[in-house]
Amino acid sequence: MALNNPTDLRLRDPGLARVAEMVLAGERLDRAEGIALATTDDLLGVGRLANLVRERLHGDRTYYNVNRHLNPTNVCVASCKLCAFYVPWRDREKGWTYTVEQAVEVAARDVDETVSELHIVGGLHPTLRVEYYEELFRALKTRFPWIHLKALTMVELDFIATASRIELGELVARLRRAGLDSCPGGGAEIFAERVRAQICDHKTDGRRWLDIARAVHAAGLHSNCTMLYGHVETPEERVDHLLALRELQDETGGFQCMIPLAFHPENTELDHLPPTGGRLDLQTIATSRLILDNVPHLKAYWIMLGEKVAQIALSFGANDLDGTVVDERITRAAGGTAGVGLPRQRLERLIREAGRTPVLRDTLYRPLDPPVAGAGTSVGVGGEACSAAAS
Ligand code: V47
C-alpha cells in the first residue's frame, strides 16, 4: 500500500505527527524527532515509518551473506564490563591466542569457496603487533584468495597502532597491502562518556572511535557502524550516538551498514541487568533506520536478536540479516541462545517467510549468484578454544 499522508500511517501518538510529515516529505529528522521515535509507546507507528523508508531504499530486497567469524585471540587488556568474551592478560593461559598457522587452520575448518567473507575480531592483546596481523592476512589470502577480509574494529586498530608504535595511517596502509578489505563496525557501544565510564571505561573513547573511522574511510576502506543498546544508556544517548554517526557519514560516506547490537548481560559484570525485549529491539532498529538517512543498509543481526525478532525486524527498517556465521563466540559467551550458524537456505526461508526477497551479497553489497545445490549448506560446529601462545 502506498502511504502518502500521515493518516495512512495510523499513528496512535500525536507526538509522531511531525515526524511522519517529515518522513513522508523525505526530510532529515533532528534530535527532537529522534527522541520522539525512541520514547513513544507507538511501536507500530515507528515501525511503519521505518518500513516506508526501508521500502523506498530497497523495496523487498533483503540481503544476507555466507560468512565465517574468526577470533584470533580472546586475551584482552580492556576488561570491558559489557563483555563476556575476553580473558584478562593475567589469566591469558586460560584463553586462546592462535599462531598464524593455527588461525588459518581454524578458519579452514569452515571455509569453502561458497564463503565470501571472513569477519575477524579479537581481544586487545598487548604483544600482537602489526607484523602478526600482516602475516595473518597474507596467510589467509594465500589459502583463500577469493575471500573478503572484514577485520579489526576501530578500537583494535587504535590499540595495534599504539602497541606497534606506528601512526594509524601507516597501520591501515600496511594492513591493506597485506589483504585487509574493510572493517567491521564493533566497539562503538554508546559514545556518551557517562555510559562508557560504566560499561567500557578502559578503551578508545567515542570521539577517537569516530576519528579512526574517519581515517579508515579517508584511506579508501569501507566500514560498518554499530550501537550497543539495552544496558545503562538513555534513549537520548542512543539518539545522540546515531546523530554522531550520521554526521561522520555526511563527511565520509564510508559506512555501508548500521548494526544495532542488543546487549546480552549473562556472564558479564553487568549481569544484574535484564536482557533486551523485542520491543526495545524493534524500536531501536526502526529509530536507527529513520535517523541514519545516509547509511544505505540496516542489519538485523540474527545472532543477537534471535531468528524470530530478526525476521520481524525486516518490517521495522532492516534490510539485511548478516550471514551464516557458524562459529560466533562473543554473543555465545554472553548467554546468546540464537545459535551460532544458519545454513544459507534457512536464512533465505526466514526472509521469504517475512514476505521479502532474499539477495545473496558480498561484503560490499554486490549481489552474488547462489552457489550450486548442495554447496555451502553445512554448518560446522567449530568453536573449541585452541590455546597456544603466539605471543
Ligand atoms: O564490539 C560485546 C558487542 C560487538 C557484548 O560489522 C556485545 O558487520 C552484546 O560488532 N552483548 C561485536 N554485544 C559484534 C559486532 C558485529 C556483529 C555483526 C556484524 C558486524 C559488522 C559487527 O559486540 C562488540 C561489542 O560492541 N558486544 N559484548 C555483549 N555482552
Side-chain angles (χ1 to χ4, degrees), residues 142-309:
T142 302
R143 181 80 173 259
F144 318 110
W146 63 89
I147 222 153
H148 179 112
L149 297 182
K150 182 181 80 179
L152 304 177
T153 65
M154 303 307 122
V155 174
E156 289 172 276
L157 290 173
D158 192 20
F159 184 82
I160 297 164
T162 306
S164 310
R165 294 174 203 271
I166 57 175
E167 294 296 322
L168 184 77
E170 183 190 338
L171 174 69
V172 174
R174 283 176 64 171
L175 294 177
R176 270 193 92 175
R177 282 198 294 278
L180 177 67
D181 293 303
S182 71
C183 295
E189 323 310 1
I190 289 280
F191 293 139
E193 275 313 303
R194 185 195 74 83
V195 174
R196 287 184 107 75
Q198 295 178 61
I199 68 170
C200 58
D201 54 349
H202 292 118
K203 79 176 177 199
T204 305
D205 67 23
R207 186 181 297 270
R208 179 102 184 116
W209 190 99
L210 290 162
D211 284 345
I212 296 170
R214 182 182 291 107
V216 164
H217 298 168
L221 289 177
H222 281 102
S223 77
N224 291 334
C225 52
T226 58
M227 172 171 76
L228 184 72
Y229 65 90
H231 39 86
V232 300
E233 86 289 1
T234 63
E236 289 76 11
E237 285 161 339
R238 284 198 287 278
V239 171
D240 289 337
H241 182 98
L242 295 170
L243 291 173
L245 291 173
R246 185 172 81 181
E247 195 177 320
L248 181 60
Q249 178 74 342
D250 275 345
E251 216 181 300
T252 69
F255 292 128
Q256 299 201 99
C257 178
M258 165 65 180
I259 310 125
L261 299 170
F263 178 58
H264 283 57
E266 218 177 296
N267 305 321
T268 75
E269 284 186 58
L270 300 171
D271 64 358
H272 54 284
L273 296 173
T276 65
R279 161 73 193 269
L280 180 64
D281 293 333
L282 293 173
Q283 194 155 348
T284 305
I285 284 168
T287 302
S288 302
R289 177 62 288 167
L290 288 162
I291 294 181
L292 286 174
D293 56 2
N294 52 3
V295 175
H297 301 284
L298 199 298
K299 190 181 286 189
Y301 184 39
W302 67 267
I303 294 253
M304 286 195 189
L305 294 171
E307 288 178 46
K308 293 181 182 184
V309 173

Side-chain angles (χ1 to χ4, degrees), residues 353-364:
E353 258 180 26
R356 302 300 195 187
T357 308
V359 179
L360 178 65
R361 64 164 175 87
D362 67 8
T363 310
L364 302 174

Side-chain angles (χ1 to χ4, degrees), residues 30-188:
D30 292 323
R31 188 169 188 269
E33 289 83 48
I35 293 172
L37 289 165
T39 54
T40 180
D41 282 346
D42 187 1
L43 173 64
L44 292 182
V46 178
R48 280 191 204 97
L49 286 165
N51 192 50
L52 183 75
V53 171
R54 182 254 201 253
E55 290 185 357
R56 250 186 221 153
L57 289 169
H58 303 288
D60 278 333
R61 285 187 303 285
T62 298
Y63 295 89
Y64 72 98
N65 70 351
V66 175
N67 65 348
R68 298 292 182 263
H69 283 208
L70 176 65
N71 306 119
T73 181
N74 65 344
V75 173
C76 187
V77 294
S79 301
C80 294
K81 291 193 177 63
L82 68 90
C83 182
F85 165 79
Y86 79 93
V87 165
W89 175 246
R90 66 175 175 279
D91 293 333
R92 57 193 172 280
E93 68 289 348
K94 296 183 188 153
W96 71 82
T97 300
Y98 298 141
T99 62
V100 166
E101 294 69 29
Q102 287 169 332
V104 173
E105 284 318 308
V106 169
R109 289 178 197 161
D110 297 316
V111 171
D112 61 24
E113 306 76 53
T114 68
V115 177
S116 65
E117 170 189 287
L118 262 180
H119 176 142
I120 306 171
V121 291
L124 306 181
H125 189 297
T127 69
L128 296 184
R129 305 281 155 79
V130 56
E131 292 80 10
Y132 170 83
Y133 292 97
E134 287 178 309
E135 212 190 308
L136 175 63
F137 295 168
R138 288 210 166 90
L140 290 168
K141 284 283 188 177
T142 302
R143 181 80 173 259
F144 318 110
W146 63 89
I147 222 153
H148 179 112
L149 297 182
K150 182 181 80 179
L152 304 177
T153 65
M154 303 307 122
V155 174
E156 289 172 276
L157 290 173
D158 192 20
F159 184 82
I160 297 164
T162 306
S164 310
R165 294 174 203 271
I166 57 175
E167 294 296 322
L168 184 77
E170 183 190 338
L171 174 69
V172 174
R174 283 176 64 171
L175 294 177
R176 270 193 92 175
R177 282 198 294 278
L180 177 67
D181 293 303
S182 71
C183 295

